[in-house]
Amino acid sequence: MKVVFTANGMSHELDLEPRELLADVLRDRLDLRSVHIACEQGACGTCTVLVDGRGVRSCLMFGVQVAGCEVSTVEAIGSPADLHPIQRSLSEHHGLQCGFCTPGMVLAAVELLRDVPSPTTAEIEEALAGNLCRCTGYVSIVDAIAAASGTTTPGGDE
Amino acid sequence: MTTVEEPRQAELPHGIGAPVRRVEDPRLLTGQATYLADVQLPGMKHVAILRSPVAHARIVRIGADRVRAAPGVLAAFTGDDLAAVSRPFSHLLPMPTIKPHEWFVLATDKVRFVGEPIAAVVAQTRYLAEDALELFDVELEDLPVVASAEAALAPDAPLLYDTWSDNQYLTAAYSSGDMAGALSAAHGVLRERFTHHRVIGMPLEGHGATGHFDGASGQLTLYASSQQPHNLRTVVSNVTGLAESKVRVISPDMGGGFGNKQHFLREESLIAVIATQVTQPVSWVQDRSEAMTASVHSREQIHDVEVAYRADGRVLGVRAKLLADVGNPVLYFTPAAPPLVTSSLMTGVYDISAFEFELCCAATNKCPMGAYRGFGQPQAFFTIERVMDLVAEELGLDPADVRRVNMIPDAPRPFVSPTGALYDTGSFRDQFDTLLESVGYAEVRGRQQVARSEGRHLGIGLAAIVEATAPNLHGFAGRFGGYETAMVAVQPDGSVNVAVGTKSQGQGHQTVLAQIVADVFGVGLDQIDVVDGDTSRLPYGMGTWGSRSAVMGGGAVLKAATEVRNKMVAIAGHMLGVDATDVTLDAGCFRAGEQMLPFPAVADVAYLHTFVLPGGTEMGLSATVVYDPGNTSPFPDERGHMNPAATWATAAGAVVVEVDVNTGQVDIQDAVIVHDCGRVINPLILEGQIQGAFAQAVGAVLLEELVYSPDGQLLTSTLLDYAIPAFGNVPRLRVVHRETPSDLLGGFRGAGEAGIIVMPAAIANAVHDALRPFGVRITQTNLSPSRLRTLLRAAGVRCDPLAHVRLGPRPPAAIA
């Protein structure tokens, strides 16, 4: 079925099968390779994208459900030469290792800091509780987000 | 060698020792990395794999006719189809006590675990391929299931392999010193069983492979998310029958590995074989349930130990009987490798003269057991560190004192372990004292008294390890040595290419190897390009596993860069008209007295103005080197002695917990590690490695468990019922660095695994210590709330998980 939606500011009209997952549509139809798929069960948050500014798991939505919506992926957040402050902070605090969960983390953090500009450690942990990372052990991600927001964490160096 | 040095200040702001930001970060942060699923080849088709729904059955028939007629399907293959065009895997081990074993890319006669691959389909899309899987006509004849190691050894146990006499895949035994004498001289003997539960390393990016066979050139290109691309090339060459020169393996950016991607998974060779049978490129990306049920599980062992000790806590002898559940051992290299490592390290960091072990690796109808960060070491140190605490408890001594009495003395070095390992480490005792001071041991003991008087259950746990880094793989893989290969080329403009045989899975190798090269040449990191994971860039390589990359990859890169540097110094000396020994290279300039030459000027001469070169000098500036420290043994000697690792790292850990005896919840209040990996290359990355490994330790002990039903169905096959740590589950681990440089190039020792080897034992010791008033004895690695409540109830505690909801915070539990 025909679906019209916006992805990272560009309008797309696609003919989609109803069963195509949003994650697959973004990856395979629009070549947005930052959308990483790790569980396809909504458990890990790796495939998080923003739909009309709200974080969703793109493995739990069908592509046809974003008709008329604005979808944002990490491609729209920053570039290697011009990192978003959250991205820069993640690098400074070593808040990523393999990077597979990172695009989802960045988007979840962008959403958090938009709504809660100076979150506490508990608020950061709560907001990102649905995003799993197998590499870092999390504290460096919390430090990075806190630093990007101008707040501090007990072990952060800000 | 054993002198501890103050952590060195980096001489360059971006050289060895500097906490520089990673050069790989910008592309990872912006979604521009290329993981396996991002590799798109023109005309690429998609493979889905039919897997066994049952744990043990004879394959009566697999019909593919309906599959081949399905929409979008290009080809379908059964086990017999591919056995006819490929060669079997074998463990290749020459040991007399291992069963002969061969298997193909797909199951042929029988299936032996839920998830075992039995057929494959190639289709236009993964959706269509998955649809078509339902059309295979499969007839399986159920067989009785062997779901545990103990069941596998029962006299009437069903056999996994009809040609085997029993299910004992491998047995091994070893004896050193006088155990009988130790037992007769002992003040007491501790007899205890320790159980280590099954978990999975589970990188967030699963396995996957994409292959293309070019009929015109006869070349197979295989992309795979593999920790050991060159070794995978060798395996794929064996399985496909293609000359190794006609196989190229590329391991792109990896979304974690943790040992799981060390194993040349059957499916990687499956994709290679399928690629040779169709004209289009083919791709398979493992989904999460495939990763959980049918990749690589780890850790499951049972240890029965007998420990002879004196009244002062001195341990005279350890006898250990190990039983490992290796599942269906269809992994190359062998699933017996981690239990062999466990067995050899059971005496821990202690000087124990009498040591005996017996190991049995039992085959069962479960997912194969294999590598996960720590590789058999966490089990050894968990058991011996629990033993130290239990001996202390028996004798009414402080566990710290019992450790001190037994610890390996400071001299001589290397210390020869009972199994022949050569520990080239610093002082275990000094490291342990640093730990006690860092955690405030005496102060915590004081707080514990106060807490107990208030009905709160505080405990402190200690543990210490010696860790094999940069090991040899001969004894476990039947091939593959401990050396490494690297190439360094300075280009005409002075920029530097580096290729290395190790393979980063997220550890930041591009950065740390560039820091090493920057130290040698004095150039900026932006002038250095490091690549790994492409077999076309280097003749051979050994990949990344066993904490070997800094030591072996770093050593090889350092050796190659130094060769090129020395040549450049000689050229610069000639150009400046001075002796080479009078030339220095710093900050990217060659200098002799007042004269100087920019780095690129010398590089330019070596390629483009070669008439300026000193006579007899070969053009160009590159070196491809092999680095082998040469101090590991491929096989045990006549005494059974073997040094498996090029150098050893050490760590000691302490954990303070409070246990809620109503819920069984363990709250980690403090965690400290004292860590010595020799010369530190990048402290930022190192601390990330240690914290990350600690998170996996917390997961393995307090959250994660793979649960099988009695009929061999995995009940925890999704991330919804297998709980890895999330935000808020992992406290901050405090890290204290010690630097005892190794004798190897650069003074490096390996890092990355200590956190998961030492901390599980420290957590368990702390939980036991917290629950001492109840007489709860911790002899298992699984300390999740429900498992702890079971132990507490068995000790007579009336746990009431909802008590705090009804009564307010933390009421003391009642003893029935």
Side-chain angles (χ1 to χ4, degrees), chain B residues 739-755:
Chain B
E739 286 197 21
T740 311
S742 74
D743 277 349
L744 308 187
L745 280 183
F748 313 130
R749 301 172 191 274
E753 300 181 272

Side-chain angles (χ1 to χ4, degrees), chain A residues 19-21 24 27 33-34 36 38-41 43-44 46 74-75 78-80 83 87-88 90-94 96-103 105-106 125 128-129 131-139 141-143 153-156, chain B residues 21-22 25-32 35 37-38 40 127-128 131 200-205 254-256 258 287-289 372-373 505-506 684-685 688-689 691-693 695-696 704 717-720 722 724-728 730-732:
Chain A
R19 68 170 175 170
E20 281 181 78
L21 298 178
D24 292 331
R27 285 183 57 81
R33 300 283 163 183
S34 73
H36 299 153
C39 80
E40 294 181 277
Q41 290 153 339
C44 72
T46 303
V74 93
E75 277 89 345
S79 66
L83 294 176
Q87 292 169 320
R88 197 176 320 120
L90 280 164
S91 182
E92 284 164 359
H93 291 84
H94 193 26
L96 69 156
Q97 289 183 23
C98 81
F100 201 69
C101 72
T102 304
M105 289 286 177
V106 169
E125 291 181 343
L128 274 75
N131 289 69
L132 297 178
C133 169
R134 193 59 159 164
C135 295
T136 60
Y138 299 105
V139 295
I141 302 177
V142 175
D143 291 345
T153 56
Chain B
R21 287 164 53 183
R22 304 194 313 169
D25 284 353
R27 74 169 190 275
L28 301 180
L29 284 160
T30 53
Q32 298 191 9
Y35 298 96
D38 303 327
Q40 298 291 311
Y127 285 74
L128 292 171
D131 289 347
I200 179 169
M202 213 203 55
L204 273 190
E205 181 207 27
M254 289 179 70
F258 311 123
D287 69 25
R288 185 54 50 196
S289 61
Y372 174 25
R373 201 177 200 169
Q505 305 128 49
L684 187 68
I685 288 176
Q689 286 295 307
Q691 173 73 23
Q696 291 178 329
E704 302 172 29
S717 60
T718 75
L719 274 173
L720 297 165
Y722 185 85
I724 67 169
F727 277 95
V730 189
R732 189 183 305 274

Side-chain angles (χ1 to χ4, degrees), chain B residues 71 130 148 151 178 570 807:
Chain B
E130 301 265 356
S148 74
D178 179 11
L807 303 173

Side-chain angles (χ1 to χ4, degrees), chain B residues 392-448:
Chain B
E393 188 170 288
E394 293 286 331
L395 293 168
L397 298 173
D398 190 305
D401 293 336
V402 170
R403 283 182 172 76
R404 276 206 199 86
V405 163
N406 286 295
M407 229 161 233
I408 289 170
D410 292 352
R413 289 292 183 273
F415 175 85
V416 183
S417 88
T419 53
L422 302 176
Y423 297 154
D424 60 338
T425 68
S427 166
F428 292 100
R429 294 166 188 218
D430 289 352
Q431 179 170 262
F432 188 65
D433 288 342
T434 304
L435 176 76
L436 296 181
E437 192 182 313
S438 305
V439 76
Y441 186 69
E443 184 268 331
V444 176
R445 285 287 179 213
R447 272 200 285 139
Q448 181 178 42

